């Protein structure tokens, strides 16, 4: 059963999705086995002014998430997540708990490719 | 003598001035377009490209058979150029790599090899009358601009020329520093607007940090007294030249023409300007 990751500025399921995947402060994680939420910081390498999306993608993988629900995903992050077979779903800035329900009901759109070019996402 | 032409931001007429300075002195100088992310001098100089060199950097390549997926290389990269993508192994993002070599050093299994990889190119053009100019171009999306700029500045075909006119990228970034460093003199091009002043101040800070001698050229001057003049007087910065606002210049520029075509008298001024700089630099080596 997968772990689902939500980029967010908040710490729990009531927080709203942060649309900037690369610069999100935290990832709220939902474990479908234990049905519990947890939060991890989206630590970034501050020396690098590029590649925030790659680092975020790496953080997703390091936390064993296999689903990402995100407002955006740039081409570099997409390449990492796709190679690691993480499924990406696009969503709007809604509370995470609502997005989880949307996901479970199959309402979210699966990303087939990156949807942004900018290097900040 | 190496003269770098720079500005705090784009759109001040930096390239226009740099080209005019070059064309007025093309018998003794070579033009280097170091604005490698957006080189545009070739649009105005209309030379014939006679040579193209590839600029390469050593970029790591991972041998999946030797990699044990320990992840040390990913942690060692300061530039986010590597990622560990689960079973797919290590991914390399060439465009973010700075060729620092850290990952290759740290890999315990010898799975990483540095491979010469193209990051940009240099074109060498012949101009009518025997002059030459060089233009560097970074591969789109690459972060290796400084490497391409270095390669242009050190290119062997620049050696026969007494003077190098270096059109530097705007801003005060890494690329700016790479293209102005080592210059004997920096000319900062600006215009008499609040934005122009703001950008000039940043550029001045940049060249002062590098301890390079510099002076200012003011473009699009409308009135005798203006804010750049005031600032330069306060800071004791020399203004080498003021170019008056002239609609014909903008028109000419949009057609791919150059300043000297509109203002032929400028040629002699720019001739003198270069000779003056020569004396000055010669006097304070
Ligand atoms: S050479 Fe340096 S910058 Fe390039 S991938 Fe390796 S550690 Fe990163
Ligand atoms: S350091 Fe070497 S062995 Fe370890 S993950 Fe990187 S390439 Fe593979």
């Amino acid at each position: 059963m997968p772990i689902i990751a939500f980029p967010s500025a908040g710490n729990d399921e009531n927080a709203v999705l942060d649309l900037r995947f690369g610069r999100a402060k935290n990832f709220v994680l939902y474990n479908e086995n234990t049905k519990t939420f947890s939060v991890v910081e989206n630590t970034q390498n501050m020396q690098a002014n590029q590649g925030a999306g790659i680092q975020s993608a790496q953080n997703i993988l390091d936390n064993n998430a296999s689903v990402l629900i995100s407002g955006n995903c740039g081409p570099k992050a997409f390449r990492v997540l796709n190679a690691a077979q993480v499924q990406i779903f696009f969503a709007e800035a809604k509370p995470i708990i609502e997005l989880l329900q949307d996901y479970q009901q199959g309402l979210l759109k699966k990303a087939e490719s990156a949807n942004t070019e900018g290097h900040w996402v | 003598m190496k003269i770098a032409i720079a500005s705090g931001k784009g759109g001040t007429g930096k390239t226009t001035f740099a080209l005019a300075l070059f064309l007025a002195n093309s018998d003794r100088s070579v033009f280097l377009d170091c604005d490698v992310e957006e080189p545009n001098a070739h649009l105005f100089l209309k030379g014939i490209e006679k040579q193209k060199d590839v600029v390469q950097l050593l970029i790591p390549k991972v041998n999946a058979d030797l990699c044990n997926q320990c992840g040390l290389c990913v942690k060692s990269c300061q530039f986010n150029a590597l990622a560990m993508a689960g079973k797919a192994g290590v991914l390399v993002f060439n465009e973010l790599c700075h060729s620092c070599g850290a990952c290759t050093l740290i890999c315990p299994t010898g799975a990483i090899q540095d491979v010469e990889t193209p990051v940009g190119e240099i074109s060498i053009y012949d101009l009518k009358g025997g002059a030459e100019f060089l233009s560097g171009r970074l591969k789109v999306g690459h972060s290796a601009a400084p490497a391409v700029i270095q390669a242009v500045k050190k290119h062997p075909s620049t050696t026969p020329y007494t003077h190098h006119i270096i059109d530097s990228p705007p801003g005060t970034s890494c690329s700016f520093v790479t293209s102005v460093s080592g210059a004997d003199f920096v000319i900062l091009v600006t215009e008499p607007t609040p934005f122009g002043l703001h950008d000039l101040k940043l550029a001045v800070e940049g060249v002062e940090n590098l301890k390079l001698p510099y002076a200012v050229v003011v473009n699009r001057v409308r009135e005798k007294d203006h804010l750049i003049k005031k600032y330069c007087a306060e800071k004791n910065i020399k203004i080498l030249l003021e170019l008056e606002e002239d609609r014909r210049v903008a028109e000419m520029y949009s057609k791919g023409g150059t300043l000297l075509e509109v203002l032929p008298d400028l040629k002699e001024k720019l001739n003198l300007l270069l000779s003056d700089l020569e004396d000055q630099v010669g006097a304070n080596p």
Side-chain angles (χ1 to χ4, degrees), chain B residues 58-60 73 76-82 92-93 96-104 112 114:
Chain B
L58 287 170
I59 290 182
C73 56
S76 76
C77 180
Q78 303 289 307
F79 302 100
N80 291 342
L82 301 174
V92 184
F93 289 86
L96 297 183
C97 175
H98 284 55
S99 299
C100 72
C103 55
T104 316
I112 308 184
D114 291 327

mmCIF file of all heavy atoms in Angstrom, chain B residues 58-60 73 76-82 92-93 96-104 112 114, ligand 1:
data_model
loop_
_atom_site.group_PDB
_atom_site.id
_atom_site.type_symbol
_atom_site.label_atom_id
_atom_site.label_comp_id
_atom_site.label_asym_id
_atom_site.label_seq_id
_atom_site.Cartn_x
_atom_site.Cartn_y
_atom_site.Cartn_z
ATOM 1 N N LEU B 58 33.691 18.171 -18.281
ATOM 2 C CA LEU B 58 33.655 16.788 -17.801
ATOM 3 C C LEU B 58 32.407 16.614 -16.945
ATOM 4 O O LEU B 58 32.250 17.256 -15.916
ATOM 5 C CB LEU B 58 34.907 16.480 -16.980
ATOM 6 C CG LEU B 58 36.182 16.334 -17.799
ATOM 7 C CD1 LEU B 58 37.400 16.283 -16.896
ATOM 8 C CD2 LEU B 58 36.113 15.092 -18.687
ATOM 9 N N ILE B 59 31.527 15.778 -17.423
ATOM 10 C CA ILE B 59 30.275 15.546 -16.707
ATOM 11 C C ILE B 59 30.181 14.048 -16.392
ATOM 12 O O ILE B 59 30.524 13.217 -17.238
ATOM 13 C CB ILE B 59 29.085 16.064 -17.549
ATOM 14 C CG1 ILE B 59 29.149 17.605 -17.565
ATOM 15 C CG2 ILE B 59 27.739 15.588 -16.990
ATOM 16 C CD1 ILE B 59 28.054 18.292 -18.291
ATOM 17 N N PRO B 60 29.756 13.713 -15.173
ATOM 18 C CA PRO B 60 29.780 12.307 -14.782
ATOM 19 C C PRO B 60 28.776 11.448 -15.542
ATOM 20 O O PRO B 60 27.700 11.905 -15.926
ATOM 21 C CB PRO B 60 29.397 12.356 -13.297
ATOM 22 C CG PRO B 60 28.704 13.643 -13.118
ATOM 23 C CD PRO B 60 29.314 14.593 -14.095
ATOM 24 N N CYS B 73 27.047 9.739 -3.931
ATOM 25 C CA CYS B 73 27.278 10.755 -4.968
ATOM 26 C C CYS B 73 26.193 11.823 -4.914
ATOM 27 O O CYS B 73 26.473 13.019 -5.028
ATOM 28 C CB CYS B 73 27.331 10.108 -6.349
ATOM 29 S SG CYS B 73 25.865 9.142 -6.749
ATOM 30 N N SER B 76 26.819 14.148 -2.187
ATOM 31 C CA SER B 76 28.023 14.975 -2.347
ATOM 32 C C SER B 76 27.810 16.124 -3.333
ATOM 33 O O SER B 76 28.594 17.066 -3.370
ATOM 34 C CB SER B 76 29.196 14.113 -2.820
ATOM 35 O OG SER B 76 29.041 13.820 -4.195
ATOM 36 N N CYS B 77 26.758 16.058 -4.135
ATOM 37 C CA CYS B 77 26.577 17.094 -5.160
ATOM 38 C C CYS B 77 25.917 18.332 -4.567
ATOM 39 O O CYS B 77 24.800 18.275 -4.075
ATOM 40 C CB CYS B 77 25.744 16.568 -6.328
ATOM 41 S SG CYS B 77 25.523 17.845 -7.584
ATOM 42 N N GLN B 78 26.631 19.446 -4.644
ATOM 43 C CA GLN B 78 26.123 20.715 -4.104
ATOM 44 C C GLN B 78 25.153 21.397 -5.062
ATOM 45 O O GLN B 78 24.611 22.440 -4.758
ATOM 46 C CB GLN B 78 27.288 21.693 -3.878
ATOM 47 C CG GLN B 78 28.361 21.181 -2.969
ATOM 48 C CD GLN B 78 27.864 21.125 -1.540
ATOM 49 O OE1 GLN B 78 27.375 22.109 -1.012
ATOM 50 N NE2 GLN B 78 27.952 19.949 -0.935
ATOM 51 N N PHE B 79 25.020 20.857 -6.247
ATOM 52 C CA PHE B 79 24.284 21.575 -7.286
ATOM 53 C C PHE B 79 23.013 20.870 -7.734
ATOM 54 O O PHE B 79 22.455 21.208 -8.774
ATOM 55 C CB PHE B 79 25.213 21.823 -8.479
ATOM 56 C CG PHE B 79 26.445 22.606 -8.101
ATOM 57 C CD1 PHE B 79 27.653 21.970 -7.888
ATOM 58 C CD2 PHE B 79 26.366 23.972 -7.918
ATOM 59 C CE1 PHE B 79 28.777 22.691 -7.516
ATOM 60 C CE2 PHE B 79 27.481 24.701 -7.546
ATOM 61 C CZ PHE B 79 28.696 24.059 -7.349
ATOM 62 N N ASN B 80 22.574 19.884 -6.951
ATOM 63 C CA ASN B 80 21.345 19.151 -7.265
ATOM 64 C C ASN B 80 21.379 18.523 -8.656
ATOM 65 O O ASN B 80 20.344 18.394 -9.299
ATOM 66 C CB ASN B 80 20.115 20.071 -7.196
ATOM 67 C CG ASN B 80 19.809 20.510 -5.784
ATOM 68 O OD1 ASN B 80 20.273 19.894 -4.832
ATOM 69 N ND2 ASN B 80 19.049 21.572 -5.651
ATOM 70 N N ALA B 81 22.569 18.169 -9.105
ATOM 71 C CA ALA B 81 22.645 17.642 -10.469
ATOM 72 C C ALA B 81 22.453 16.128 -10.508
ATOM 73 O O ALA B 81 22.401 15.549 -11.585
ATOM 74 C CB ALA B 81 23.985 18.009 -11.096
ATOM 75 N N LEU B 82 22.372 15.496 -9.348
ATOM 76 C CA LEU B 82 22.201 14.048 -9.309
ATOM 77 C C LEU B 82 20.968 13.701 -8.495
ATOM 78 O O LEU B 82 20.621 14.404 -7.553
ATOM 79 C CB LEU B 82 23.417 13.380 -8.643
ATOM 80 C CG LEU B 82 24.778 13.608 -9.292
ATOM 81 C CD1 LEU B 82 25.869 13.012 -8.423
ATOM 82 C CD2 LEU B 82 24.812 12.995 -10.678
ATOM 83 N N VAL B 92 21.616 11.707 -13.872
ATOM 84 C CA VAL B 92 22.489 12.885 -13.951
ATOM 85 C C VAL B 92 21.774 13.976 -14.737
ATOM 86 O O VAL B 92 21.265 13.711 -15.828
ATOM 87 C CB VAL B 92 23.814 12.550 -14.665
ATOM 88 C CG1 VAL B 92 24.748 13.756 -14.646
ATOM 89 C CG2 VAL B 92 24.488 11.346 -14.022
ATOM 90 N N PHE B 93 21.720 15.170 -14.167
ATOM 91 C CA PHE B 93 21.164 16.313 -14.886
ATOM 92 C C PHE B 93 22.337 17.153 -15.394
ATOM 93 O O PHE B 93 22.866 17.995 -14.676
ATOM 94 C CB PHE B 93 20.232 17.123 -13.983
ATOM 95 C CG PHE B 93 18.958 16.396 -13.697
ATOM 96 C CD1 PHE B 93 18.876 15.489 -12.652
ATOM 97 C CD2 PHE B 93 17.857 16.573 -14.512
ATOM 98 C CE1 PHE B 93 17.706 14.783 -12.419
ATOM 99 C CE2 PHE B 93 16.679 15.874 -14.285
ATOM 100 C CZ PHE B 93 16.602 14.974 -13.232
ATOM 101 N N LEU B 96 22.726 20.931 -14.894
ATOM 102 C CA LEU B 96 22.981 21.541 -13.587
ATOM 103 C C LEU B 96 24.400 21.268 -13.086
ATOM 104 O O LEU B 96 24.837 21.820 -12.089
ATOM 105 C CB LEU B 96 21.979 21.025 -12.550
ATOM 106 C CG LEU B 96 20.509 21.346 -12.793
ATOM 107 C CD1 LEU B 96 19.660 20.831 -11.648
ATOM 108 C CD2 LEU B 96 20.296 22.841 -12.938
ATOM 109 N N CYS B 97 25.096 20.366 -13.771
ATOM 110 C CA CYS B 97 26.415 19.951 -13.281
ATOM 111 C C CYS B 97 27.443 21.061 -13.473
ATOM 112 O O CYS B 97 27.510 21.688 -14.518
ATOM 113 C CB CYS B 97 26.860 18.705 -14.031
ATOM 114 S SG CYS B 97 28.525 18.194 -13.613
ATOM 115 N N HIS B 98 28.254 21.304 -12.431
ATOM 116 C CA HIS B 98 29.312 22.307 -12.491
ATOM 117 C C HIS B 98 30.696 21.674 -12.653
ATOM 118 O O HIS B 98 31.704 22.329 -12.418
ATOM 119 C CB HIS B 98 29.294 23.177 -11.240
ATOM 120 C CG HIS B 98 28.180 24.193 -11.232
ATOM 121 N ND1 HIS B 98 26.868 23.844 -11.393
ATOM 122 C CD2 HIS B 98 28.196 25.542 -11.089
ATOM 123 C CE1 HIS B 98 26.116 24.935 -11.342
ATOM 124 N NE2 HIS B 98 26.899 25.979 -11.158
ATOM 125 N N SER B 99 30.716 20.381 -12.970
ATOM 126 C CA SER B 99 31.992 19.681 -13.180
ATOM 127 C C SER B 99 32.944 19.820 -12.005
ATOM 128 O O SER B 99 34.139 20.014 -12.200
ATOM 129 C CB SER B 99 32.691 20.191 -14.436
ATOM 130 O OG SER B 99 31.893 19.955 -15.541
ATOM 131 N N CYS B 100 32.431 19.717 -10.796
ATOM 132 C CA CYS B 100 33.317 19.884 -9.644
ATOM 133 C C CYS B 100 34.080 18.608 -9.343
ATOM 134 O O CYS B 100 35.094 18.634 -8.657
ATOM 135 C CB CYS B 100 32.519 20.324 -8.425
ATOM 136 S SG CYS B 100 31.486 19.018 -7.750
ATOM 137 N N GLY B 101 33.578 17.473 -9.826
ATOM 138 C CA GLY B 101 34.301 16.219 -9.640
ATOM 139 C C GLY B 101 34.046 15.513 -8.317
ATOM 140 O O GLY B 101 34.586 14.427 -8.078
ATOM 141 N N ALA B 102 33.235 16.111 -7.442
ATOM 142 C CA ALA B 102 33.024 15.526 -6.114
ATOM 143 C C ALA B 102 32.436 14.126 -6.189
ATOM 144 O O ALA B 102 32.889 13.207 -5.508
ATOM 145 C CB ALA B 102 32.112 16.432 -5.289
ATOM 146 N N CYS B 103 31.438 13.935 -7.030
ATOM 147 C CA CYS B 103 30.753 12.639 -7.076
ATOM 148 C C CYS B 103 31.710 11.533 -7.523
ATOM 149 O O CYS B 103 31.699 10.439 -6.964
ATOM 150 C CB CYS B 103 29.535 12.723 -7.993
ATOM 151 S SG CYS B 103 29.889 13.304 -9.652
ATOM 152 N N THR B 104 32.537 11.830 -8.501
ATOM 153 C CA THR B 104 33.470 10.833 -9.021
ATOM 154 C C THR B 104 34.459 10.412 -7.938
ATOM 155 O O THR B 104 34.796 9.234 -7.793
ATOM 156 C CB THR B 104 34.242 11.418 -10.223
ATOM 157 O OG1 THR B 104 33.309 12.092 -11.046
ATOM 158 C CG2 THR B 104 34.927 10.348 -11.019
ATOM 159 N N ILE B 112 31.410 5.852 -11.399
ATOM 160 C CA ILE B 112 31.260 7.128 -12.103
ATOM 161 C C ILE B 112 32.508 7.464 -12.902
ATOM 162 O O ILE B 112 33.628 7.370 -12.412
ATOM 163 C CB ILE B 112 30.968 8.284 -11.123
ATOM 164 C CG1 ILE B 112 29.790 7.920 -10.222
ATOM 165 C CG2 ILE B 112 30.690 9.577 -11.881
ATOM 166 C CD1 ILE B 112 29.378 9.029 -9.298
ATOM 167 N N ASP B 114 34.037 10.508 -15.591
ATOM 168 C CA ASP B 114 33.782 11.835 -16.148
ATOM 169 C C ASP B 114 33.956 11.788 -17.652
ATOM 170 O O ASP B 114 34.978 11.337 -18.150
ATOM 171 C CB ASP B 114 34.761 12.848 -15.542
ATOM 172 C CG ASP B 114 34.450 13.075 -14.081
ATOM 173 O OD1 ASP B 114 33.263 13.001 -13.725
ATOM 174 O OD2 ASP B 114 35.385 13.313 -13.296
HETATM 175 S S1 LIG C 1 30.635 16.783 -10.944
HETATM 176 FE FE1 LIG C 1 30.006 17.958 -9.128
HETATM 177 S S2 LIG C 1 28.289 19.183 -9.889
HETATM 178 FE FE2 LIG C 1 28.575 17.562 -11.381
HETATM 179 S S3 LIG C 1 27.212 15.954 -10.719
HETATM 180 FE FE3 LIG C 1 29.196 15.505 -9.777
HETATM 181 S S4 LIG C 1 29.097 16.457 -7.747
HETATM 182 FE FE4 LIG C 1 27.410 17.312 -8.971
#
